[in-house]
Amino acid sequence: GRIAEAATELEKVRAENPGNHQAVLLLGDCYMRMGREKDVIEVLEPEEKKYPDDLAVAYLLGTALIREKRVNEGQVLVDRILRNGDSAEAHLMLGTAKMGISDFAGARDEFAKAVALNPNLPEAHVLYAKALTLTGDSDLSEKEFISELHVDPYNFDANLQLGALAKQAENFEQAKKYFVRAEETRPGDPGVRYQLALLALNEGDPERARQMLESLVKQFPQFLEAHVSLALVYYRLKQPEESKRERGIVQKLTAEEIGRASCRERV
């Protein structure tokens, strides 16, 4: 489950022996788990040209291309997989493409087919869970997130979402286990760091929450929710001037977001 460390070691192997196909494929898989789709494309595009019949390469590369909105290029690889018969991988890629165009019901149906064909396919349950949430079936999504962890205990999204659900249920100890595991997969991820800060606040440690949130907004100054929570933390710590400053930042960021949304609507 130490995906980032595995990626570092595989990068060394690739540098020393770029012809090691298996190492490059594993590196691409690590990048995918870490949410680094651009890096997946960089390392696997040359491999796809050298090994056009390798369906594992086609699957990883096609999924990364679709997630990066290069749907037409990804569709070529989906079609290649489909030519080998109906498969969970193809339905997963088709579902990802439909998610990209906000066809959430269509994506849900494709992911359901993927899970039915291969319940042990990594990412299938977590993507199905996301689509279920977006189509109003959130009661079913928790079960799918849990199923994903049976396939891959270090799936980032499953751990993050289950941690949030455990925190909501005030099961803080369980929430922390999920969040720590998610952070191990993607060290420094701002979403996980934010959840851990909220957890500290819920556990009655506003000072630790303050330190974590200050570090977060320093690195990600546009993180609106973190500024909102930091204003609350300052208030609880009886630091009214700092709280007032953060509320001012929140108002500014909110106004900027409204302005951007208005521009998008006009376009």
Side-chain angles (χ1 to χ4, degrees):
R2 289 148 55 190
I3 308 300
E5 292 180 43
T8 298
E9 294 303 317
L10 288 163
E11 285 165 354
K12 295 176 184 176
V13 175
R14 180 182 178 230
E16 294 170 2
N17 184 7
N20 188 326
H21 176 62
Q22 184 64 19
V24 177
L25 181 59
L26 287 171
L27 179 58
D29 184 48
C30 286
Y31 286 153
M32 182 70 78
R33 290 169 184 244
M34 296 166 70
R36 294 169 56 179
E37 283 81 5
K38 286 185 173 63
D39 290 323
V40 176
I41 294 168
E42 180 188 347
V43 300
L44 290 187
E45 275 189 326
E47 296 299 300
E48 191 273 330
K49 291 180 174 62
K50 290 189 289 185
Y51 302 95
D53 296 326
D54 190 321
L55 297 184
V57 171
Y59 171 63
L60 285 171
L61 179 58
T63 302
L65 287 166
I66 291 170
R67 290 183 183 179
E68 284 295 306
K69 312 300 183 187
R70 295 167 60 178
V71 178
N72 291 338
E73 295 170 80
Q75 186 67 48
V76 172
L77 298 175
V78 173
D79 293 341
R80 185 178 302 169
I81 292 173
L82 284 171
R83 284 199 297 270
N84 284 270
D86 196 25
S87 71
E89 290 82 357
H91 287 295
L92 203 67
M93 293 168 72
L94 288 168
T96 301
K98 290 183 179 183
M99 285 282 276
I101 59 172
S102 299
D103 178 6
F104 303 128
R108 177 200 60 207
D109 295 343
E110 292 294 343
F111 295 143
K113 292 174 184 176
V115 167
L117 284 168
N118 183 3
N120 294 316
L121 178 64
E123 293 267 314
H125 289 283
V126 76
L127 289 170
Y128 186 29
K130 288 181 178 181
L132 285 167
T133 301
L134 290 166
T135 53
D137 296 319
S138 55
D139 290 343
L140 298 174
S141 63
E142 183 175 3
K143 172 179 171 292
E144 293 302 322
F145 284 126
I146 292 171
S147 295
E148 183 66 39
L149 293 187
H150 291 311
V151 178
D152 176 10
Y154 284 87
N155 180 277
F156 174 80
D157 289 310
N159 279 297
L160 183 61
Q161 295 300 324
L162 288 171
L165 290 170
K167 179 168 67 65
Q168 186 177 350
E170 298 188 358
N171 187 346
F172 300 136
E173 184 176 349
Q174 186 64 41
K176 184 178 291 186
K177 290 179 181 177
Y178 284 128
F179 290 144
V180 167
R181 190 173 288 176
E183 190 176 40
E184 288 175 357
T185 302
R186 298 187 188 176
D189 180 87
V192 178
R193 291 165 60 190
Y194 177 61
Q195 291 292 344
L196 287 168
L198 293 183
L199 195 59
L201 187 60
N202 289 331
E203 290 176 327
D205 193 348
E207 176 57 30
R208 185 159 63 93
R210 177 192 66 79
Q211 295 172 9
M212 297 171 74
L213 288 168
E214 284 181 345
S215 172
L216 188 57
V217 299
K218 182 178 180 181
Q219 188 174 356
F220 301 96
Q222 303 299 310
F223 198 150
L224 175 62
E225 293 84 355
H227 285 288
V228 172
S229 298
L230 187 54
L232 174 62
V233 167
Y234 283 139
Y235 176 78
R236 291 192 181 181
L237 290 171
K238 300 186 180 352
Q239 298 178 7
E241 291 302 316
E242 287 83 352
S243 182
K244 180 180 179 181
R245 184 193 69 225
E246 287 301 314
R247 290 198 302 273
I249 294 172
V250 168
Q251 291 175 349
K252 178 175 179 290
L253 291 175
T254 302
E256 290 174 354
E257 178 55 34
I258 291 172
R260 286 193 293 269
S262 177
C263 288
R264 288 194 294 268
E265 288 177 4
R266 286 199 296 270
V267 171

